[in-house]
Amino acid sequence: MSTVNKALVRAGKRIQARSEEAQIQAQIQAAGPVTVGAPVSHPLGPPTLAGTLMTVDIMLNQPTRVTRMIMDLTLQRFIADRVFASAGGVTGGAVVYDQATMNELYAARDVERVSPGGEFPLLTGVQLVPKVASVEKWGGKVYITDEARDRNNAVLFMRLMRQVANTIVRKINARAIAELNSAVSAFNQTFVGRNWQTVVTAGTNASTASNYPLRDFAQADMIAEQDELGVLFDLVLLNPQEYAQLATIYGAQSLQQFLQFINKQLYISNRVPAGTAYFVQEGQVGEMRIEKPLGTETWREPETERTWSQSSVRPVMYVTNPFSILVATGLAG
């Protein structure tokens, strides 16, 4: 698979998610024995489902299957697990962590020349003040009527599950971007980039090399080198608007060469503000922990003849190295 195709998958084109969704819907409609795929890794917790018969009634009676379906629909669409390292669980409802606030590659005092028999200088660092991140609970519920359940209405059931999955993805991704923005604002990790919308690729008024998007990618790497923190930006989060302009400027073949040259991957999401580019070091920005993995419970409400399906997850995300984030602004003027 080419670098461009990999970028498109990570950009939220949802090719795999749609394929899995179609397979699940076909299984529900087929009223016979089907096999559910093997467990897959997931940023909100591991699924634990074995193969069995699958109908709307079975799905509602066994909530684990609903959880797995939501996981399948959301897989490959999260920003959080690309930016934050998975650090396990949480106890006590909060995490105490250290956040880098300065260059920690060097001691506060320099080494010195030592004369024979002389005392060596004491090299010390700066003691960091711990910070606290609290667990957040996100969830929602939907219902399906007895009529739809009895008629095995797979279309309605899939629509409801798709809504739940999309909403979970949107919230988790929005929270990830919010955590990045908080760190960026606190440590002023921004620079003004070029206006990609005004680039002219040919003719007498063609833009100079310094006005091309490549200059912004190069500037981000230059800033990382000047900071001397050992940061290597290898992932760039873009809004679809900026990705479309990037593809227009470089074209399919040149864009592939461009991505190979800058040695970075692209992730496209509507949660990224238009006109910006987020340069991050994948998995080095901070951590994401899960106190309670994504789970589902169901219950029937006899007075209304409806069955409710409620899903929730309790994650916490926090930035430990704000210097692993750099935002370019002004890309759309």
Side-chain angles (χ1 to χ4, degrees), residues 40-60:
V40 294
S41 60
H42 193 280
L44 299 185
T48 56
L49 180 62
T52 185
L53 299 179
M54 186 183 292
T55 65
V56 171
D57 186 65
I58 291 292
M59 295 287 284
L60 291 174

Side-chain angles (χ1 to χ4, degrees), residues 200-274:
V200 179
T201 59
T204 57
N205 296 323
S207 301
T208 61
S210 61
N211 290 319
Y212 269 65
L214 178 59
R215 182 67 180 86
D216 293 327
F217 287 82
Q219 185 170 347
D221 287 340
M222 179 188 71
I223 293 174
E225 289 293 336
Q226 291 174 340
D227 286 343
E228 294 187 316
L229 285 167
V231 172
L232 296 174
F233 295 124
D234 55 8
L235 178 65
V236 184
L237 311 180
L238 295 176
N239 184 275
Q241 171 183 283
E242 274 58 58
Y243 178 77
Q245 187 62 16
L246 197 65
T248 301
I249 292 173
Y250 290 100
Q253 185 63 32
S254 296
L255 181 57
Q256 180 178 356
Q257 297 172 354
F258 173 83
L259 294 174
Q260 292 174 345
F261 177 73
I262 64 176
N263 195 27
K264 291 174 175 47
Q265 295 180 341
L266 303 181
Y267 192 104
I268 317 304
S269 173
N270 284 316
R271 307 287 79 79
V272 178

Side-chain angles (χ1 to χ4, degrees), residues 16-290:
Q16 180 177 352
R18 289 176 178 172
S19 175
E20 292 175 344
E21 177 181 331
Q23 293 174 5
I24 294 171
Q25 183 168 342
Q27 291 171 2
I28 295 177
Q29 290 174 332
V34 296
T35 302
V36 180
V40 294
S41 60
H42 193 280
L44 299 185
T48 56
L49 180 62
T52 185
L53 299 179
M54 186 183 292
T55 65
V56 171
D57 186 65
I58 291 292
M59 295 287 284
L60 291 174
N61 282 330
Q62 301 185 28
T64 301
R65 289 169 167 76
V66 179
T67 300
R68 172 57 188 270
M69 177 181 292
I70 296 173
M71 286 181 169
D72 285 343
L73 292 176
T74 58
L75 194 62
Q76 303 289 344
R77 296 167 53 200
F78 282 99
I79 295 175
D81 64 326
R82 300 294 306 278
V83 174
F84 299 101
S86 178
V90 181
T91 57
V95 176
V96 178
Y97 66 98
D98 291 328
Q99 185 178 73
T101 58
M102 61 190 65
N103 192 327
E104 295 179 334
L105 289 183
Y106 304 100
R109 181 180 178 182
D110 200 1
V111 296
E112 300 176 4
R113 183 175 179 176
V114 182
S115 60
E119 184 177 354
F120 282 76
L122 176 63
L123 304 183
T124 60
V126 177
Q127 185 69 33
L128 300 178
V129 178
K131 300 175 73 70
V132 178
S134 299
V135 170
E136 301 174 344
K137 179 166 69 174
W138 302 103
K141 62 182 179 179
V142 295
Y143 70 84
I144 189 166
T145 63
D146 279 9
E147 289 80 1
R149 179 174 182 164
D150 294 341
R151 298 163 188 166
N152 196 28
N153 192 333
V155 174
L156 173 61
F157 187 75
M158 280 303 306
R159 177 170 60 83
L160 294 173
M161 292 303 100
R162 191 185 305 114
Q163 290 172 350
V164 172
N166 289 341
T167 305
I168 290 174
V169 170
R170 182 179 64 184
K171 176 56 68 176
I172 299 298
N173 284 349
R175 286 295 298 120
I177 293 297
E179 287 297 320
L180 296 183
N181 285 339
S182 177
V184 166
S185 298
F187 293 87
N188 195 29
Q189 287 293 102
T190 63
F191 70 92
V192 179
R194 281 71 186 164
N195 187 348
W196 297 3
Q197 304 297 322
T198 60
V199 173
V200 179
T201 59
T204 57
N205 296 323
S207 301
T208 61
S210 61
N211 290 319
Y212 269 65
L214 178 59
R215 182 67 180 86
D216 293 327
F217 287 82
Q219 185 170 347
D221 287 340
M222 179 188 71
I223 293 174
E225 289 293 336
Q226 291 174 340
D227 286 343
E228 294 187 316
L229 285 167
V231 172
L232 296 174
F233 295 124
D234 55 8
L235 178 65
V236 184
L237 311 180
L238 295 176
N239 184 275
Q241 171 183 283
E242 274 58 58
Y243 178 77
Q245 187 62 16
L246 197 65
T248 301
I249 292 173
Y250 290 100
Q253 185 63 32
S254 296
L255 181 57
Q256 180 178 356
Q257 297 172 354
F258 173 83
L259 294 174
Q260 292 174 345
F261 177 73
I262 64 176
N263 195 27
K264 291 174 175 47
Q265 295 180 341
L266 303 181
Y267 192 104
I268 317 304
S269 173
N270 284 316
R271 307 287 79 79
V272 178
T276 65
Y278 286 62
F279 296 87
V280 300
Q281 183 170 7
E282 186 170 358
Q284 299 299 313
V285 174
E287 294 181 340
M288 177 177 177
R289 293 175 178 266
I290 303 296

Side-chain angles (χ1 to χ4, degrees), residues 305-318:
E305 294 190 333
R306 296 183 297 185
T307 299
W308 291 89
S309 175
Q310 178 174 287
S311 299
S312 67
V313 62
R314 295 203 298 265
V316 57
M317 291 173 278
Y318 47 93

Side-chain angles (χ1 to χ4, degrees), residues 295-311:
T296 303
E297 58 180 342
T298 62
W299 68 94
R300 185 174 181 274
E301 189 177 74
E303 59 268 24
T304 59
E305 294 190 333
R306 296 183 297 185
T307 299
W308 291 89
S309 175
Q310 178 174 287
S311 299

